[in-house]
Amino acid sequence: MTTQNAKVQTADHEKIANAAGGDFATFEGAQVSLGEKLHQFFHKYPVAAPTIVLLTAIALFSFVIGERFLHPFNLSLILQQVTIIGVLGIAQTLIILTAGIDLSVGAVMVLTSVIMGRMAVDLGMPSGMALSIGLIAGAVTGWINGLLVTRFRLPPFIVTLGTWNIFFALNLWYSRSETIRSQEIDAVAPLLHWTGNAIDIFGARLTYGSLLMLALFVVIWYALKWTAWGKHVYATGDDPASARLAGIRTERVLMSVYVVAGVLCAVAAWVLIGRIGSVSPQAGMMANLDSITAVVIGGTSLFGGRGSIFGTLMGALVVGVFRNGLALAGVDVLWQEFTVGALIIVAVGVDQWIRKV
């Protein structure tokens, strides 16, 4: 009886299939629009957007200004002009990747430059030792910021806003608001001027500070991409709770990021001394805003967990190219700053759009 029922069911199924005409359901992939493809592309390659902007700006100014803009000396001058912001931008990128922000990087840079100069000129220390003490001071300032963020659970914005004022006050106190002249540094600590020395290559003038900046970008890129520490930085910025569940010690990661950022600010101080030739307690105090500008235009998300260190380099170059090109075109400084401000707003808008993936 069971066999007969099975035969009847099979016959019924065959009749139904024949009545359907032998058609089968098919599932085709949804058509993806050009906008969605661009959306996914920029999300996957965050450095692509600032690179396109940079190349477009170079092409535009080359057409408007001509050979003066494309001259090797002018291009190397742009690189020199963004060197300090580039080094600070590396430090700022590390902080922003963890969903934080550091408003004190400019003050740390100036404070450590004053420490280096005073140690070498006033106390007569060997320039190598003065440089080392400055780097250690940078690490200490980063440790202070990291301690307040990790142990006391204070928002990075508030912490670094406070330490920005504290480090600036310490800078004025320790320097007595006095500038150390270039001749004094040359006489006792020529190493502090090393980053300002240059080599000429096919009409371009490359400073050792610029080459140091490029080397730092490569080192930090490698650390973020190929080391466990770099993966932990991205994970901590993307989702701290999930990172902790995965066994990542997020507080230790944050502390290490702030310490490394402090050291990088001290390296920027060394570059600053070579760039301007002297030690001034007033130089570069607003560099924190320029570093944030480079990071944002470079495509790093202010919400953390997404971005590229080379995007920051592209962002710094975009700002440098626009300022240099507009200056050569005779545009007033007011409108140069207006353009940079507009670029920041556009970059944040693009970041919001990309985050919707």
Side-chain angles (χ1 to χ4, degrees), residues 16-17 27 37 68 86 89 98 108 118 122 124 134 139 148 162 168 188 203 229 241 243 259 263 282 333:
I16 294 172
F27 299 91
K37 289 180 179 179
R68 282 191 306 156
T98 62
V108 172
R118 291 292 170 187
D122 291 354
L148 293 172
F168 179 56
V188 297
W229 178 78
V259 171
V263 174
Q282 302 292 339
V333 175

Side-chain angles (χ1 to χ4, degrees), residues 159-174:
V159 166
T160 57
L161 179 62
T163 54
W164 176 18
N165 289 277
I166 291 171
F167 296 148
F168 179 56
L170 290 175
N171 160 51
L172 294 179
W173 168 75
Y174 185 59

Side-chain angles (χ1 to χ4, degrees), residues 35-96:
E36 292 173 335
K37 289 180 179 179
L38 289 174
H39 199 184
Q40 294 171 2
F41 174 78
F42 288 127
H43 186 271
K44 185 176 182 180
Y45 303 103
V47 75
T51 302
I52 293 173
V53 174
L54 176 63
L55 294 176
T56 303
I58 292 174
L60 176 63
F61 287 119
S62 300
F63 176 76
V64 174
I65 299 171
E67 295 182 359
R68 282 191 306 156
F69 179 78
L70 288 177
H71 193 279
F73 179 80
N74 186 62
L75 295 179
S76 64
L77 179 62
I78 294 174
L79 187 62
Q80 292 177 40
Q81 291 170 341
V82 304
T83 296
I84 296 171
I85 302 305
V87 177
L88 289 179
I90 298 173
Q92 193 71 256
T93 303
L94 293 175
I95 301 295
I96 291 179

